[in-house]
Amino acid sequence: MEAGGLADSLLSGACVLFTLGMFSTGLSDLKHMRMTRSVDSVQFLPFLTTDVNNLSWLSYGALKGNWTLIVVNAVGAVLQTLYILVYLHYCHRKRAVLLQTTTLLGVLVLGFAYFWLLVPDPEMRLQHLGLFCSVFTISMYLSPLADLAKVIRTKSTQRLSFSLTIATLLTSASWTLYGFRLKDPYIVVPNLPGILTSFIRFWLFWKYSPGARQELSASTNLREFT
């Protein structure tokens, strides 16, 4: 196998492995819901938005004929749909959840109708769909910034998942490199915010770790004493 083909295969494998690893972090929420028979402390919107994101990228992969995109997002869509169904089963406020689901899926259907019915040229359709997927993915990566602001205000990283941060960094980095290999800006650009926000989270873990908080408290007490 040529060096270029080997690199493509390794990057493809890394994308599949790291992305499915990131998707599987939801299994802990699934276990929690089944054990407690409730959805307390479990957020629904990330399941829904990730499912829509998977379905969008699945369509892009199918149109592009890229099996890495197809496999990853097909498995991801199945997992997110499973999480959604379990959440609906244990949720008491089903009406609000169903309304959110119906609204977002309605937007997705209208988007697909536009891409497949009103954009007849396959190349132009691929570009429009790629742009939509990129914007949606960027918005998903930037949406937790409000949580990061709360971490800074409270000086506590309890709201953050260290394992998910690692998974997000590895996933975003592998897709960025894979996008460079394919010369596909629609894959490269939306994964750059994932790398950036991951490093911000690592910095917050370091700054507001228990040891760092103790040092900060000791320094404050020393200043007050002097």
Side-chain angles (χ1 to χ4, degrees):
M1 182 181 293
E2 296 182 358
L6 178 59
D8 290 341
S9 298
L10 290 175
L11 277 176
S12 176
C15 290
V16 173
L17 178 64
F18 294 143
T19 309
L20 294 184
M22 185 175 68
F23 290 155
S24 65
T25 57
L27 292 174
S28 59
D29 288 332
L30 184 67
K31 182 179 179 181
H32 173 78
M33 288 186 286
R34 292 192 61 187
M35 290 182 63
T36 62
R37 304 186 68 81
S38 71
V39 295
D40 294 338
S41 73
V42 177
Q43 294 182 323
F44 173 72
L45 200 56
F47 295 151
L48 182 58
T49 54
T50 304
D51 201 5
V52 172
N53 194 50
N54 287 148
L55 292 172
S56 301
W57 281 109
L58 176 60
S59 299
Y60 181 78
L63 192 60
K64 191 178 179 69
N66 185 289
W67 280 101
T68 302
L69 286 168
I70 293 172
V71 170
V72 165
N73 289 286
V75 175
V78 170
L79 284 175
Q80 301 304 322
T81 301
L82 174 62
Y83 301 153
I84 289 172
L85 292 176
V86 174
Y87 189 99
L88 280 171
H89 179 71
Y90 293 115
C91 178
H92 297 296
R93 300 176 57 192
K94 289 183 171 57
R95 186 172 182 178
V97 172
L98 286 172
L99 180 61
Q100 289 180 337
T101 304
T102 304
T103 300
L104 203 52
L105 289 180
V107 172
L108 184 65
V109 169
L110 288 176
F112 283 167
Y114 166 76
F115 291 129
W116 293 98
L117 299 178
L118 300 181
V119 186
D121 180 58
E123 187 61 32
M124 186 65 67
R125 186 187 304 156
L126 184 67
Q127 293 179 12
H128 286 195
L129 185 55
L131 180 61
F132 172 81
C133 292
S134 296
V135 172
F136 197 89
T137 301
I138 290 173
S139 67
M140 285 182 59
Y141 277 133
L142 296 182
S143 60
L145 289 179
D147 288 337
L148 300 185
K150 290 180 181 178
V151 168
I152 295 174
R153 285 200 304 269
T154 61
K155 295 181 173 59
S156 172
T157 57
Q158 284 186 329
R159 302 177 64 91
L160 302 180
S161 168
F162 191 76
S163 59
L164 181 59
T165 301
I166 294 176
T168 301
L169 176 61
L170 293 175
T171 300
S172 299
S174 60
W175 279 110
T176 299
L177 293 175
Y178 187 65
F180 273 121
R181 290 290 300 179
L182 295 180
K183 299 180 180 178
D184 189 332
Y186 300 120
I187 296 177
V188 173
V189 173
N191 284 286
L192 295 177
I195 298 175
L196 176 62
T197 55
S198 295
F199 279 117
I200 293 175
R201 291 185 185 203
F202 281 129
W203 177 76
L204 291 174
F205 277 116
W206 170 79
K207 185 174 179 62
Y208 299 122
S209 63
R213 288 199 299 271
Q214 290 174 6
E215 291 177 7
L216 179 63
S217 177
S219 176
T220 303
N221 292 336
L222 181 60
R223 286 198 301 269
E224 290 177 353
F225 179 76
T226 56

